[in-house]
Amino acid sequence: MIKINFSKGKIIISMLLCFLPAVIGLYAWLYYDLIFKLASTIWVLVAATVFYLRLQQLNRYRRGEAALTIDEHTLLNSSVLKPQQIPWTDIDYFVTGLYRTNSIFIKLNDLSSLKKEKTSRLIHLLSFIDRNLSTKPASFWIDMDVIDIKEKELLSMLLQRLKK
């Protein structure tokens, strides 16, 4: 079993960067017209969502949970909002270089094979928004921005395990 940990420094820097849209959004609310207020509200909501995700990741780091756990039968991805355990037999391949990010997308053979788990209302709402705004579900992204390993190293480990 291989455990890959979160990077506390990367999480904290990302959380601090989430405050910038809040400050700009507050400024827009005070001094600009309605269209700027609407746009800044959306921007602040996106930043708040990212901040909430980073807060969840920081809590997992403090509890000593790994960001990724690679074992013989499954890949446990805890770098996303709701940790996702995926059997290796369900993974088709891994995709990088999408949307100008350095995250890794897990392409599955069949999405219907994963069991549905009961989640909190907030996570359910964020998942609903993600499903309707994105072609790739957020629960199948490996968030490289907060993991303490280089993308190429992780990708080679994942591909090596997938070939077994």
Side-chain angles (χ1 to χ4, degrees):
M1 179 185 310
I2 301 170
K3 291 189 175 196
I4 300 164
N5 296 317
F6 287 104
S7 172
K8 182 180 179 182
K10 290 179 180 179
I11 294 172
I12 291 174
I13 288 171
S14 181
M15 290 173 79
L16 291 173
L17 289 174
C18 288
F19 284 109
L20 181 64
V23 170
I24 293 171
L26 178 62
Y27 182 80
W29 261 98
L30 293 173
Y31 298 107
Y32 285 98
D33 295 331
L34 180 64
I35 191 72
F36 289 108
K37 289 179 181 181
L38 292 174
S40 66
T41 301
I42 292 170
W43 198 24
V44 168
L45 289 174
V46 169
T49 302
V50 172
F51 185 82
Y52 180 75
L53 171 62
R54 297 299 185 243
L55 190 61
Q56 294 294 320
Q57 292 167 337
L58 187 61
N59 287 335
R60 290 182 193 132
Y61 170 81
R62 288 184 179 155
R63 288 191 305 256
E65 295 178 23
L68 282 176
T69 305
I70 302 169
D71 69 12
E72 193 66 30
H73 303 290
T74 59
L75 170 68
L76 176 61
N77 183 10
S78 297
S79 70
V80 293
L81 192 59
K82 175 81 172 106
Q84 187 76 39
Q85 190 165 7
I86 307 168
W88 286 106
T89 54
D90 290 347
I91 298 174
D92 191 17
Y93 56 90
F94 298 97
V95 182
T96 60
L98 297 171
Y99 308 120
R100 291 186 253 161
T101 68
N102 62 347
S103 296
I104 299 173
F105 181 69
I106 305 167
K107 174 70 172 98
L108 300 181
N109 294 322
D110 184 20
L111 286 174
S112 64
S113 63
L114 294 174
K115 64 179 183 178
K116 304 288 183 207
E117 294 182 15
K118 191 167 177 76
T119 59
S120 70
R121 288 183 179 173
L122 178 61
I123 293 175
H124 185 71
L125 173 65
L126 294 174
S127 297
F128 174 78
I129 292 169
D130 173 63
R131 278 193 312 272
N132 290 302
L133 294 179
S134 175
T135 58
K136 297 185 177 3
S139 58
F140 302 116
W141 285 97
I142 298 174
D143 190 356
M144 293 302 299
D145 293 332
V146 295
I147 294 179
D148 201 15
I149 190 172
K150 295 197 182 330
E151 181 182 358
K152 289 182 181 181
E153 293 175 37
L154 178 60
L155 193 57
S156 68
M157 288 172 50
L158 292 172
L159 291 174
Q160 183 180 34
R161 176 57 195 95
L162 188 60
K163 290 179 184 177
K164 286 185 180 182

